[in-house]
mmCIF file of all heavy atoms in Angstrom:
data_model
loop_
_atom_site.group_PDB
_atom_site.id
_atom_site.type_symbol
_atom_site.label_atom_id
_atom_site.label_comp_id
_atom_site.label_asym_id
_atom_site.label_seq_id
_atom_site.Cartn_x
_atom_site.Cartn_y
_atom_site.Cartn_z
ATOM 1 N N LYS X 360 17.142 -75.683 117.744
ATOM 2 C CA LYS X 360 17.015 -74.257 117.418
ATOM 3 C C LYS X 360 18.353 -73.528 117.293
ATOM 4 O O LYS X 360 18.383 -72.364 116.883
ATOM 5 C CB LYS X 360 16.128 -73.566 118.454
ATOM 6 C CG LYS X 360 14.714 -74.108 118.514
ATOM 7 C CD LYS X 360 13.984 -73.947 117.176
ATOM 8 C CE LYS X 360 12.548 -74.456 117.253
ATOM 9 N NZ LYS X 360 11.836 -74.283 115.974
ATOM 10 N N GLY X 361 19.453 -74.163 117.668
ATOM 11 C CA GLY X 361 20.761 -73.585 117.418
ATOM 12 C C GLY X 361 21.108 -72.353 118.229
ATOM 13 O O GLY X 361 21.951 -71.544 117.800
ATOM 14 N N TYR X 362 20.543 -72.213 119.423
ATOM 15 C CA TYR X 362 20.780 -70.988 120.191
ATOM 16 C C TYR X 362 22.203 -70.903 120.755
ATOM 17 O O TYR X 362 22.707 -69.808 121.010
ATOM 18 C CB TYR X 362 19.746 -70.860 121.314
ATOM 19 C CG TYR X 362 18.416 -70.375 120.799
ATOM 20 C CD1 TYR X 362 17.253 -71.112 121.024
ATOM 21 C CD2 TYR X 362 18.327 -69.201 120.082
ATOM 22 C CE1 TYR X 362 16.032 -70.684 120.533
ATOM 23 C CE2 TYR X 362 17.107 -68.763 119.586
ATOM 24 C CZ TYR X 362 15.962 -69.502 119.809
ATOM 25 O OH TYR X 362 14.761 -69.069 119.321
ATOM 26 N N TYR X 363 22.851 -72.035 120.925
ATOM 27 C CA TYR X 363 24.237 -71.998 121.378
ATOM 28 C C TYR X 363 25.093 -71.240 120.360
ATOM 29 O O TYR X 363 25.973 -70.455 120.735
ATOM 30 C CB TYR X 363 24.770 -73.418 121.567
ATOM 31 C CG TYR X 363 26.256 -73.476 121.857
ATOM 32 C CD1 TYR X 363 26.763 -73.056 123.081
ATOM 33 C CD2 TYR X 363 27.154 -73.925 120.889
ATOM 34 C CE1 TYR X 363 28.131 -73.096 123.347
ATOM 35 C CE2 TYR X 363 28.517 -73.969 121.140
ATOM 36 C CZ TYR X 363 29.000 -73.552 122.371
ATOM 37 O OH TYR X 363 30.339 -73.582 122.617
ATOM 38 N N TYR X 364 24.824 -71.446 119.075
ATOM 39 C CA TYR X 364 25.585 -70.759 118.027
ATOM 40 C C TYR X 364 25.234 -69.278 117.978
ATOM 41 O O TYR X 364 26.083 -68.438 117.672
ATOM 42 C CB TYR X 364 25.328 -71.430 116.673
ATOM 43 C CG TYR X 364 25.711 -72.888 116.693
ATOM 44 C CD1 TYR X 364 24.741 -73.873 116.895
ATOM 45 C CD2 TYR X 364 27.039 -73.284 116.555
ATOM 46 C CE1 TYR X 364 25.089 -75.213 116.944
ATOM 47 C CE2 TYR X 364 27.401 -74.629 116.602
ATOM 48 C CZ TYR X 364 26.417 -75.581 116.799
ATOM 49 O OH TYR X 364 26.773 -76.904 116.865
ATOM 50 N N LEU X 365 23.983 -68.947 118.302
ATOM 51 C CA LEU X 365 23.605 -67.533 118.367
ATOM 52 C C LEU X 365 24.332 -66.827 119.507
ATOM 53 O O LEU X 365 24.771 -65.680 119.356
ATOM 54 C CB LEU X 365 22.087 -67.391 118.537
ATOM 55 C CG LEU X 365 21.559 -65.950 118.632
ATOM 56 C CD1 LEU X 365 21.969 -65.124 117.415
ATOM 57 C CD2 LEU X 365 20.041 -65.939 118.802
ATOM 58 N N LEU X 366 24.495 -67.507 120.638
ATOM 59 C CA LEU X 366 25.232 -66.903 121.747
ATOM 60 C C LEU X 366 26.686 -66.652 121.360
ATOM 61 O O LEU X 366 27.263 -65.606 121.701
ATOM 62 C CB LEU X 366 25.162 -67.798 122.986
ATOM 63 C CG LEU X 366 23.814 -67.891 123.702
ATOM 64 C CD1 LEU X 366 23.929 -68.796 124.923
ATOM 65 C CD2 LEU X 366 23.303 -66.513 124.111
ATOM 66 N N ARG X 367 27.280 -67.572 120.654
ATOM 67 C CA ARG X 367 28.656 -67.368 120.203
ATOM 68 C C ARG X 367 28.739 -66.191 119.234
ATOM 69 O O ARG X 367 29.690 -65.399 119.278
ATOM 70 C CB ARG X 367 29.190 -68.648 119.549
ATOM 71 C CG ARG X 367 29.429 -69.780 120.553
ATOM 72 C CD ARG X 367 29.835 -71.060 119.877
ATOM 73 N NE ARG X 367 31.091 -70.920 119.124
ATOM 74 C CZ ARG X 367 31.588 -71.879 118.340
ATOM 75 N NH1 ARG X 367 30.941 -73.036 118.224
ATOM 76 N NH2 ARG X 367 32.718 -71.685 117.690
ATOM 77 N N ALA X 368 27.744 -66.073 118.370
ATOM 78 C CA ALA X 368 27.697 -64.923 117.458
ATOM 79 C C ALA X 368 27.503 -63.632 118.240
ATOM 80 O O ALA X 368 28.133 -62.603 117.939
ATOM 81 C CB ALA X 368 26.568 -65.109 116.442
ATOM 82 N N ALA X 369 26.636 -63.669 119.263
ATOM 83 C CA ALA X 369 26.382 -62.484 120.080
ATOM 84 C C ALA X 369 27.648 -62.011 120.773
ATOM 85 O O ALA X 369 27.899 -60.805 120.896
ATOM 86 C CB ALA X 369 25.287 -62.790 121.104
ATOM 87 N N SER X 370 28.454 -62.958 121.221
ATOM 88 C CA SER X 370 29.694 -62.606 121.892
ATOM 89 C C SER X 370 30.606 -61.796 120.977
ATOM 90 O O SER X 370 31.217 -60.797 121.393
ATOM 91 C CB SER X 370 30.410 -63.886 122.356
ATOM 92 O OG SER X 370 31.618 -63.581 123.024
ATOM 93 N N ALA X 371 30.675 -62.214 119.702
ATOM 94 C CA ALA X 371 31.497 -61.482 118.739
ATOM 95 C C ALA X 371 30.882 -60.119 118.413
ATOM 96 O O ALA X 371 31.601 -59.125 118.256
ATOM 97 C CB ALA X 371 31.656 -62.306 117.460
ATOM 98 N N ILE X 372 29.563 -60.074 118.343
ATOM 99 C CA ILE X 372 28.878 -58.831 117.961
ATOM 100 C C ILE X 372 29.054 -57.749 119.010
ATOM 101 O O ILE X 372 29.371 -56.591 118.701
ATOM 102 C CB ILE X 372 27.382 -59.123 117.703
ATOM 103 C CG1 ILE X 372 27.224 -59.927 116.415
ATOM 104 C CG2 ILE X 372 26.579 -57.813 117.622
ATOM 105 C CD1 ILE X 372 25.855 -60.521 116.220
ATOM 106 N N VAL X 373 28.864 -58.094 120.282
ATOM 107 C CA VAL X 373 28.915 -57.058 121.325
ATOM 108 C C VAL X 373 30.334 -56.563 121.562
ATOM 109 O O VAL X 373 30.527 -55.496 122.167
ATOM 110 C CB VAL X 373 28.279 -57.555 122.643
ATOM 111 C CG1 VAL X 373 26.821 -57.910 122.442
ATOM 112 C CG2 VAL X 373 29.046 -58.744 123.217
ATOM 113 N N ARG X 374 31.309 -57.307 121.094
ATOM 114 C CA ARG X 374 32.683 -56.779 121.169
ATOM 115 C C ARG X 374 32.856 -55.591 120.225
ATOM 116 O O ARG X 374 33.657 -54.694 120.486
ATOM 117 C CB ARG X 374 33.691 -57.885 120.828
ATOM 118 C CG ARG X 374 33.923 -58.882 121.952
ATOM 119 C CD ARG X 374 35.202 -59.673 121.750
ATOM 120 N NE ARG X 374 35.152 -60.525 120.569
ATOM 121 C CZ ARG X 374 34.747 -61.792 120.586
ATOM 122 N NH1 ARG X 374 34.347 -62.349 121.728
ATOM 123 N NH2 ARG X 374 34.740 -62.515 119.477
ATOM 124 N N GLU X 375 32.064 -55.596 119.134
ATOM 125 C CA GLU X 375 32.131 -54.497 118.171
ATOM 126 C C GLU X 375 31.065 -53.442 118.413
ATOM 127 O O GLU X 375 31.313 -52.251 118.176
ATOM 128 C CB GLU X 375 31.987 -55.039 116.745
ATOM 129 C CG GLU X 375 33.140 -55.894 116.268
ATOM 130 C CD GLU X 375 33.058 -56.185 114.779
ATOM 131 O OE1 GLU X 375 32.527 -55.326 114.038
ATOM 132 O OE2 GLU X 375 33.506 -57.266 114.363
ATOM 133 N N ARG X 376 29.893 -53.883 118.838
ATOM 134 C CA ARG X 376 28.762 -52.967 119.004
ATOM 135 C C ARG X 376 28.120 -53.164 120.381
ATOM 136 O O ARG X 376 27.375 -54.119 120.598
ATOM 137 C CB ARG X 376 27.719 -53.201 117.902
ATOM 138 C CG ARG X 376 28.198 -52.871 116.500
ATOM 139 C CD ARG X 376 28.316 -51.371 116.276
ATOM 140 N NE ARG X 376 27.061 -50.677 116.472
ATOM 141 C CZ ARG X 376 26.327 -50.155 115.483
ATOM 142 N NH1 ARG X 376 26.731 -50.265 114.224
ATOM 143 N NH2 ARG X 376 25.213 -49.495 115.748
ATOM 144 N N LYS X 377 28.415 -52.224 121.273
ATOM 145 C CA LYS X 377 27.851 -52.303 122.619
ATOM 146 C C LYS X 377 26.375 -51.910 122.650
ATOM 147 O O LYS X 377 25.718 -52.053 123.684
ATOM 148 C CB LYS X 377 28.634 -51.391 123.570
ATOM 149 C CG LYS X 377 30.120 -51.734 123.701
ATOM 150 C CD LYS X 377 30.318 -53.120 124.282
ATOM 151 C CE LYS X 377 31.807 -53.406 124.503
ATOM 152 N NZ LYS X 377 32.045 -54.788 124.964
ATOM 153 N N ASP X 378 25.851 -51.422 121.521
ATOM 154 C CA ASP X 378 24.463 -50.970 121.480
ATOM 155 C C ASP X 378 23.515 -52.044 120.946
ATOM 156 O O ASP X 378 22.366 -51.758 120.628
ATOM 157 C CB ASP X 378 24.338 -49.709 120.616
ATOM 158 C CG ASP X 378 24.807 -49.936 119.181
ATOM 159 O OD1 ASP X 378 25.563 -50.891 118.945
ATOM 160 O OD2 ASP X 378 24.414 -49.140 118.305
ATOM 161 N N VAL X 379 23.976 -53.299 120.840
ATOM 162 C CA VAL X 379 23.135 -54.389 120.350
ATOM 163 C C VAL X 379 22.739 -55.295 121.515
ATOM 164 O O VAL X 379 23.583 -55.708 122.317
ATOM 165 C CB VAL X 379 23.868 -55.213 119.267
ATOM 166 C CG1 VAL X 379 22.999 -56.388 118.809
ATOM 167 C CG2 VAL X 379 24.224 -54.327 118.078
ATOM 168 N N TYR X 380 21.443 -55.602 121.586
ATOM 169 C CA TYR X 380 20.902 -56.435 122.662
ATOM 170 C C TYR X 380 20.118 -57.599 122.046
ATOM 171 O O TYR X 380 19.444 -57.440 121.023
ATOM 172 C CB TYR X 380 19.990 -55.609 123.574
ATOM 173 C CG TYR X 380 20.730 -54.507 124.286
ATOM 174 C CD1 TYR X 380 20.985 -53.289 123.648
ATOM 175 C CD2 TYR X 380 21.201 -54.681 125.586
ATOM 176 C CE1 TYR X 380 21.687 -52.276 124.292
ATOM 177 C CE2 TYR X 380 21.909 -53.661 126.235
ATOM 178 C CZ TYR X 380 22.143 -52.472 125.579
ATOM 179 O OH TYR X 380 22.848 -51.477 126.220
ATOM 180 N N PHE X 381 20.190 -58.742 122.696
ATOM 181 C CA PHE X 381 19.536 -59.954 122.200
ATOM 182 C C PHE X 381 18.407 -60.349 123.141
ATOM 183 O O PHE X 381 18.607 -60.451 124.359
ATOM 184 C CB PHE X 381 20.551 -61.092 122.077
ATOM 185 C CG PHE X 381 21.607 -60.832 121.040
ATOM 186 C CD1 PHE X 381 22.710 -60.031 121.332
ATOM 187 C CD2 PHE X 381 21.491 -61.360 119.771
ATOM 188 C CE1 PHE X 381 23.676 -59.773 120.371
ATOM 189 C CE2 PHE X 381 22.453 -61.112 118.798
ATOM 190 C CZ PHE X 381 23.546 -60.306 119.101
ATOM 191 N N VAL X 382 17.219 -60.577 122.559
ATOM 192 C CA VAL X 382 16.048 -60.985 123.336
ATOM 193 C C VAL X 382 15.610 -62.354 122.832
ATOM 194 O O VAL X 382 15.229 -62.507 121.660
ATOM 195 C CB VAL X 382 14.902 -59.967 123.190
ATOM 196 C CG1 VAL X 382 13.646 -60.478 123.909
ATOM 197 C CG2 VAL X 382 15.313 -58.608 123.753
ATOM 198 N N LEU X 383 15.700 -63.360 123.712
ATOM 199 C CA LEU X 383 15.345 -64.730 123.357
ATOM 200 C C LEU X 383 14.077 -65.128 124.101
ATOM 201 O O LEU X 383 14.040 -65.094 125.337
ATOM 202 C CB LEU X 383 16.485 -65.683 123.704
ATOM 203 C CG LEU X 383 17.872 -65.321 123.149
ATOM 204 C CD1 LEU X 383 18.878 -66.415 123.490
ATOM 205 C CD2 LEU X 383 17.815 -65.093 121.654
ATOM 206 N N VAL X 384 13.054 -65.505 123.344
ATOM 207 C CA VAL X 384 11.751 -65.833 123.918
ATOM 208 C C VAL X 384 11.482 -67.319 123.730
ATOM 209 O O VAL X 384 11.530 -67.828 122.607
ATOM 210 C CB VAL X 384 10.628 -65.010 123.258
ATOM 211 C CG1 VAL X 384 9.294 -65.269 123.964
ATOM 212 C CG2 VAL X 384 10.966 -63.520 123.285
ATOM 213 N N GLY X 385 11.204 -68.018 124.810
ATOM 214 C CA GLY X 385 10.905 -69.435 124.733
ATOM 215 C C GLY X 385 11.469 -70.177 125.933
ATOM 216 O O GLY X 385 12.241 -69.621 126.718
ATOM 217 N N ASP X 386 11.078 -71.427 126.060
ATOM 218 C CA ASP X 386 11.549 -72.265 127.151
ATOM 219 C C ASP X 386 11.847 -73.646 126.588
ATOM 220 O O ASP X 386 11.504 -73.946 125.446
ATOM 221 C CB ASP X 386 10.485 -72.353 128.250
ATOM 222 C CG ASP X 386 11.069 -72.752 129.601
ATOM 223 O OD1 ASP X 386 12.256 -73.138 129.630
ATOM 224 O OD2 ASP X 386 10.346 -72.690 130.606
ATOM 225 N N GLY X 387 12.479 -74.480 127.369
ATOM 226 C CA GLY X 387 12.790 -75.816 126.885
ATOM 227 C C GLY X 387 13.906 -76.454 127.680
ATOM 228 O O GLY X 387 14.427 -75.868 128.641
ATOM 229 N N PRO X 388 14.317 -77.653 127.276
ATOM 230 C CA PRO X 388 15.271 -78.438 128.075
ATOM 231 C C PRO X 388 16.656 -77.807 128.193
ATOM 232 O O PRO X 388 17.398 -78.151 129.121
ATOM 233 C CB PRO X 388 15.333 -79.780 127.337
ATOM 234 C CG PRO X 388 14.871 -79.483 125.950
ATOM 235 C CD PRO X 388 13.858 -78.399 126.093
ATOM 236 N N GLU X 389 17.037 -76.900 127.293
ATOM 237 C CA GLU X 389 18.369 -76.300 127.341
ATOM 238 C C GLU X 389 18.371 -74.893 127.923
ATOM 239 O O GLU X 389 19.384 -74.203 127.861
ATOM 240 C CB GLU X 389 18.998 -76.292 125.940
ATOM 241 C CG GLU X 389 19.305 -77.667 125.395
ATOM 242 C CD GLU X 389 20.170 -77.645 124.148
ATOM 243 O OE1 GLU X 389 20.473 -76.542 123.653
ATOM 244 O OE2 GLU X 389 20.552 -78.732 123.681
ATOM 245 N N MET X 390 17.251 -74.472 128.498
ATOM 246 C CA MET X 390 17.130 -73.107 129.007
ATOM 247 C C MET X 390 18.228 -72.784 130.033
ATOM 248 O O MET X 390 18.963 -71.797 129.887
ATOM 249 C CB MET X 390 15.750 -72.917 129.643
ATOM 250 C CG MET X 390 15.508 -71.524 130.199
ATOM 251 S SD MET X 390 15.362 -70.287 128.894
ATOM 252 C CE MET X 390 14.408 -69.029 129.743
ATOM 253 N N ASN X 391 18.351 -73.598 131.064
ATOM 254 C CA ASN X 391 19.338 -73.313 132.111
ATOM 255 C C ASN X 391 20.758 -73.346 131.565
ATOM 256 O O ASN X 391 21.592 -72.502 131.911
ATOM 257 C CB ASN X 391 19.189 -74.310 133.263
ATOM 258 C CG ASN X 391 17.892 -74.129 134.036
ATOM 259 O OD1 ASN X 391 17.306 -73.042 134.027
ATOM 260 N ND2 ASN X 391 17.440 -75.176 134.690
#
């Protein structure tokens, strides 16, 4: 599902926009 890359993108986004929030729904082997 590529969520590691989404987290890296989120890191760049919140540096520019503090008003953006990410909601990830689901579970699986990489959750922790």
Side-chain angles (χ1 to χ4, degrees):
K360 299 300 182 179
Y362 282 124
Y363 172 71
Y364 301 98
L365 179 57
L366 289 181
R367 290 175 61 187
S370 180
I372 289 167
V373 299
R374 283 198 295 268
E375 293 190 31
R376 295 287 301 252
K377 300 298 184 185
D378 59 340
V379 177
Y380 296 82
F381 295 81
V382 175
L383 307 184
V384 185
D386 201 350
E389 293 192 356
M390 180 69 156
N391 292 336

